[in-house]
Amino acid sequence: MSATIKDIARKVGVAPSTVSRVLSGKSKYYTPETEKKVKQAVEELGYKKNQAAVELVKKQSNVIAAVVSSVKTNFAGEIIDGIQAEASKNGYNLIVVYSGSADTEEQKKALLTVIERPVMGVLLLSIALSEDNLKLLDESNTPYCFLSMGFDDDRPFVSSDDEIIGYTATKYLIEHGHRKIGLVGLDKYPYTGRLRTAGYTRALLENGITPKQSWLEYGDYSYVAGELAMKKFGKDTEITGVVAASDLTAIGILNQARNFGLRVPQDLSIISIDGTEMCKIVQPQLTSISQNFYEMGVIGVRQIEQRVKTLNKTFESQCLVPIKISERQSVFCIE
């Protein structure tokens, strides 16, 4: 029985995909030392490249990988639905890998899982990679695009305008008479949280309201973040309106407010960011800044496809998807 790529990989101590790349001459993906070891193993094992192996590698090049944050949010499903629909329409396959959002080692493991394979491209769903992992992704020469988060530089992404999201949500509450407005559940430093906080602050200042540090409670966009923030605000909080970082965060605020005996929206108005189905299955239904996550997934696949077809040449790689206000029942107008 003739030797296989797996036999060579086992002998050299590398992934089969690395052997495939050496045999295909894709020199950007391995070191000269690795190439030397692989070619030596090929000679020693008497490996003969066959057409079936070539076709297998070619088939794998139609695979798009989605790396998803393991933080408990509820919008990733809508993005994946968009990715899956657009991928299927174009004959691409999809694999999904989960990663800790802020854990550097988990991020690295997830990235290596996909970039060590000859995937067509990688879509990263709302994951703020560490500098080392961003470098790892760049050096892999694998086409990629971030979804539901943006960057200050020229990295490819598809997202909503986060500064406008923070501004629009806050202004909506101000237009309904609120002047003591909380901001809950955002991460403090990455791009998304920073821009939404900037939009929130701008809306307050434009309307003659001086923001207080006590009105801000940072978090990780989760249900627990909303619950804990409301506990810190307390039953007798001066805040009359809250901008929640996500639908789950908003529900955490809502439930804890009820535990305090507060009425929503009469005692506390809540506007949520995201606008997923979660907004409709609670009472009162949540008014929201709604993002088109499905469209983000669709555009993300097109970004990868365009990157591949243009052989990594420059093209418009950053896209902002419009938002809208979905009015429901969780905001009360103060006379």
Side-chain angles (χ1 to χ4, degrees):
M1 186 173 181
S2 61
T4 66
I5 285 177
K6 288 185 177 180
D7 294 328
I8 298 169
R10 195 177 300 114
K11 183 176 179 63
V12 177
V14 297
S17 58
T18 301
V19 175
S20 296
R21 287 167 173 162
V22 172
L23 297 177
S24 300
K26 298 180 178 179
S27 58
K28 292 182 179 180
Y29 296 93
Y30 51 81
T31 65
E33 182 181 2
T34 298
E35 180 182 17
K36 182 179 179 181
K37 289 180 179 179
V38 169
K39 290 184 175 179
Q40 184 177 343
V42 167
E43 186 175 344
E44 291 176 358
L45 296 176
Y47 171 79
K48 300 293 183 183
K49 190 173 182 180
N50 57 64
Q51 187 58 35
V54 173
E55 290 176 356
L56 178 61
V57 172
K58 184 176 180 181
K59 181 178 179 181
Q60 288 176 321
S61 67
N62 278 344
V63 173
I64 291 177
V67 181
V68 183
S69 170
S70 59
V71 171
K72 293 181 180 179
T73 58
N74 60 307
F75 61 80
E78 293 185 22
I79 297 179
I80 292 173
D81 286 346
I83 294 172
Q84 182 67 70
E86 186 67 13
S88 296
K89 186 173 75 173
N90 291 282
Y92 307 138
N93 295 316
L94 172 67
I95 60 172
V96 179
V97 178
Y98 286 88
S99 167
S101 182
D103 188 298
T104 300
E105 284 304 310
E106 283 193 31
Q107 288 180 356
K108 184 176 181 180
K109 287 179 183 178
L111 286 178
L112 290 175
T113 297
V114 295
I115 66 178
E116 286 185 347
R117 290 161 172 75
V119 295
M120 178 181 177
V122 183
L123 295 172
L124 301 104
L125 281 62
S126 196
I127 292 183
L129 293 180
S130 67
E131 287 299 321
D132 286 345
N133 286 327
L134 275 172
K135 183 179 179 182
L136 176 65
L137 182 61
D138 287 332
E139 291 178 347
S140 73
N141 290 307
T142 302
Y144 67 85
C145 183
F146 286 85
L147 304 181
S148 190
M149 72 173 296
F151 289 87
D152 293 319
D153 56 25
D154 60 355
R155 293 183 185 280
F157 70 80
V158 181
S159 185
S160 303
D161 188 320
D162 286 300
E163 199 273 345
I164 293 297
I165 284 177
Y167 179 85
T168 303
T170 308
K171 186 178 179 182
Y172 184 84
L173 289 175
I174 293 171
E175 289 172 346
H176 283 73
H178 298 273
R179 297 186 67 81
K180 297 176 180 179
I181 299 170
L183 179 64
V184 170
L186 293 171
D187 46 5
K188 188 172 184 179
Y189 298 107
Y191 183 93
T192 301
R194 177 164 49 82
L195 284 187
R196 290 182 184 177
T197 302
Y200 159 85
T201 303
R202 179 165 70 91
L204 292 177
L205 293 176
E206 282 184 2
N207 288 274
I209 303 170
T210 301
K212 293 184 180 180
Q213 190 61 39
S214 61
W215 295 351
L216 274 68
E217 289 293 340
Y218 294 101
D220 63 356
Y221 302 86
S222 66
Y223 174 91
V224 172
E227 188 178 43
L228 291 177
M230 193 63 223
K231 286 180 179 179
K232 288 186 179 181
F233 288 151
K235 179 179 180 180
D236 299 320
T237 179
E238 66 174 340
I239 290 171
T240 63
V242 178
V243 177
S246 73
D247 298 339
L248 282 175
T249 299
I251 295 172
I253 296 168
L254 171 66
N255 287 345
Q256 184 55 46
R258 282 178 170 170
N259 289 341
F260 281 147
L262 298 175
R263 299 168 301 166
V264 176
Q266 292 90 339
D267 298 322
L268 182 72
S269 290
I270 303 171
I271 183 167
S272 177
I273 297 172
D274 284 345
T276 66
E277 288 297 311
M278 298 291 289
C279 292
K280 301 176 183 178
I281 62 176
V282 294
Q283 289 296 325
Q285 293 187 352
L286 294 167
T287 292
S288 66
I289 302 297
S290 297
Q291 303 188 71
N292 194 335
F293 293 113
Y294 184 92
E295 187 67 12
M296 289 182 196
V298 170
I299 296 173
V301 173
R302 293 173 182 171
Q303 290 274 26
I304 294 297
E305 184 178 50
Q306 187 176 15
R307 181 89 176 268
V308 171
K309 287 183 176 180
T310 57
L311 299 176
N312 296 324
K313 293 178 182 178
T314 301
F315 66 96
E316 191 62 39
S317 61
Q318 297 181 344
C319 178
L320 294 176
V321 177
I323 59 170
K324 67 178 182 179
I325 297 176
S326 298
E327 294 187 296
R328 299 188 181 93
Q329 303 154 359
S330 64
V331 175
F332 186 75
C333 188
I334 299 176
E335 295 297 333

